Amino acid sequence: MTNRVYATYWIETAFPLAQAAETMAGEQSTGTFVRVPGETDALREAHAAVVESIEELEDAAAPSLPGSGLPKGGGDGRRRTARVTLSWPVHNFGPSLPNLLATVAGNLSELKAFSGLKLLDLRLPPVFLDRYQGPQFGVPGTRELADVWDRPMIGTIIKPSVGLDPEATAAQVAGLLDAGIDFIKDDELQADGPACPFEARISAVMRVINDHAQRTGKKAMYAANLTGDVDEMLRRHDHVLAEGGTCVMASMNSIGLPAMKMLRAHSQLPIHGHRNGWGMLGRSPAIGMSYVAFQKLWRLAGIDHTHVNGIDNKFCEANESVIASARECLTPMFDPPHPGCEIMPVFSSGQSAKQAHATYEALGSTDLIFAAGGGILAHPGGPAAGVTALRQAWDAAVAGVPLDEASRQAPELQAALGAFAG
């Protein structure tokens, strides 16, 4: 691939598709609503965005979004949809993620010619790796730190999300460690509030994690939510590192790409990228950005894990979208010899033992963190039985043993299926 960026969109418009695509290309490169004196043919040749392809889809019955316009004369009454791919030379903006985002998203969603426009995918040239480090640990580094191989990492989230003080948080962690958990994370709502200060919480939690590791040889990974201003995040990272922690977490939408780049440059630990707020970009089929496109920006910026929701999740995301996002996390962004920047997908949101088979069948990999809150903590036999049930379910999925058959030999799994059948 040359030094060009490729972006694929879904569009809906009352204008002829070729005209609509050229409007997109002009708006996001050299053009405006009229030709201006400085926009020479030579300048356009060097800098204009190119319409690479247009794939017409079915017509829309009505405008998906308000405020769209019609061609002069009203057009032919059709409202067309299509997949459109545009490309730009990198020399328009340089290998800069913030300016890339302004180019491929920018003002496009506000153009009156469109009653729907959504960014679906991005392809970036390796020149971006000259500025961005990508994930430091990714899948193999995360597995090595957690010492979990050949199966998913079983994880959970501190609940209730807020309200526990540092010692109560540590007590919950101690119980989870005794249950055999691999991965624990703060909720994104718990960062550094006065009721549970960050440093006190991390010190209390790491005390029990370190004690447990000394006794058993197993050190669970704890993703400490250090989200904040840049100086706060760097200071909090250093506290986690000093206490023996093996992971930090940041809310991606809250801190932005430049702050993530700075955190990655400073960090000596895996970065758990939480995607809270992505629903504002991804939920509507008619506007925003798919997670397939979104996660590529953050992989380059340096995250090592990210959430993808889960099969039959408690939110609104369809299973096909969940699996597409997870598969992309594990798909190289760049060809060898460049690093692929693969990261660990995190399945969460209403997950329990009943989703293991469907998840494995759809993804075809055990390179994931399977995070269950209620699916562990609310198991009738307690958290230890909840963790055991998840491992039993995943062992059966990988071995190709049907869930009901596996449960007949595994009382923890059988109890989980009864408790979480709804």
Side-chain angles (χ1 to χ4, degrees):
M1 186 166 72
T2 61
N3 275 351
R4 298 187 71 84
V5 166
Y6 294 80
T8 299
Y9 304 84
W10 174 88
I11 66 169
E12 179 185 288
T13 181
F15 287 70
L17 290 176
Q19 181 183 348
E22 289 293 347
T23 297
M24 297 169 67
E27 175 69 25
Q28 294 307 111
S29 59
T30 61
T32 182
F33 70 97
V34 294
R35 186 77 172 256
V36 297
E39 191 185 350
T40 64
D41 289 343
L43 185 143
R44 287 171 62 89
E45 179 68 23
H47 297 279
V50 172
V51 179
E52 298 284 351
S53 65
I54 302 172
E55 177 191 353
E56 185 167 2
L57 305 172
E58 70 282 355
D59 284 5
S64 295
L65 299 172
S68 61
L70 298 173
K72 290 182 179 179
D76 59 8
R78 293 178 60 191
R79 198 162 289 269
R80 298 167 174 83
T81 70
R83 286 175 64 97
V84 173
T85 298
L86 306 182
S87 74
W88 294 260
V90 172
H91 61 239
N92 276 14
F93 42 83
S96 163
L97 289 178
N99 291 302
L100 166 71
L101 190 57
T103 297
V104 301
N107 294 326
L108 281 176
S109 297
E110 300 178 62
L111 290 174
K112 191 174 287 188
F114 300 93
S115 53
L117 192 153
K118 185 165 186 169
L119 177 62
L120 300 180
D121 201 359
L122 288 170
R123 284 187 293 145
L124 306 179
V127 68
F128 277 86
L129 292 168
D130 293 343
R131 181 176 294 182
Y132 296 93
Q133 296 177 282
Q136 183 176 184
F137 293 86
V139 175
T142 297
R143 283 195 175 282
E144 184 173 356
L145 283 171
D147 195 22
V148 176
W149 309 94
D150 302 323
R151 64 171 176 83
M153 289 174 57
I154 303 302
T156 193
I157 307 95
I158 298 295
K159 297 292 181 181
S161 306
V162 293
L164 300 179
D165 64 19
E167 292 305 324
T169 304
Q172 185 174 120
V173 169
L176 291 166
L177 297 174
D178 290 340
I181 202 79
D182 303 316
F183 176 88
I184 307 167
K185 62 174 285 293
D186 282 333
D187 191 88
E188 70 274 13
L189 300 176
Q190 181 65 274
D192 191 33
C196 193
F198 180 87
E199 291 196 1
R201 181 174 78 255
I202 301 316
S203 294
V205 167
M206 288 312 305
R207 184 166 56 251
V208 299
I209 290 177
N210 290 331
D211 287 348
H212 185 269
Q214 287 181 348
R215 287 188 286 105
T216 67
K218 176 180 173 58
K219 187 169 190 176
M221 180 172 280
Y222 173 61
N225 182 20
L226 50 63
T227 303
D229 294 333
V230 173
D231 58 333
E232 294 174 321
M233 292 195 296
L234 302 187
R235 185 173 65 250
R236 291 168 186 167
H237 163 277
D238 292 349
H239 182 69
V240 174
L241 184 66
E243 293 286 4
T246 55
C247 191
V248 294
M249 178 179 115
S251 294
M252 299 184 289
N253 282 305
S254 299
I255 71 170
L257 289 163
M260 185 64 78
K261 178 178 182 290
M262 290 189 68
L263 177 60
R264 164 63 176 89
H266 180 83
S267 183
Q268 298 180 51
L269 302 170
I271 299 172
H272 186 90
H274 201 293
R275 75 177 194 175
N276 55 87
W278 172 73
M280 294 186 290
L281 295 172
R283 183 169 187 176
S284 171
I287 196 169
M289 184 186 309
S290 80
Y291 202 66
V292 167
F294 183 80
Q295 52 87 33
K296 290 180 178 178
L297 303 172
W298 296 98
R299 286 162 66 180
L300 260 179
I303 63 170
D304 296 282
H305 325 143
T306 192
H307 290 248
V308 296
N309 270 336
I311 294 290
D312 298 335
N313 57 81
K314 68 181 182 182
F315 296 129
C316 62
E317 188 173 5
N319 291 343
E320 295 77 14
S321 175
V322 170
I323 295 301
S325 297
R327 192 174 290 122
E328 281 294 325
C329 289
L330 297 170
T331 299
M333 287 178 61
F334 306 104
D335 294 330
H338 305 289
C341 297
E342 300 95 324
I343 61 172
M344 184 83 88
V346 182
F347 284 74
S348 61
S349 170
Q351 301 301 285
S352 69
K354 68 179 184 178
Q355 285 109 324
H357 280 69
T359 303
Y360 182 70
E361 181 179 355
L363 187 63
S365 175
T366 60
D367 284 335
L368 60 106
I369 297 172
F370 196 79
I376 289 175
L377 297 172
H379 190 285
V387 172
T388 299
L390 286 174
R391 290 187 180 173
Q392 291 167 340
W394 274 98
D395 287 346
V398 173
V401 178
L403 192 58
D404 59 346
E405 180 181 333
S407 69
R408 289 197 288 270
Q409 307 299 320
E412 296 88 354
L413 178 55
Q414 189 171 62
L417 297 180
F420 308 124

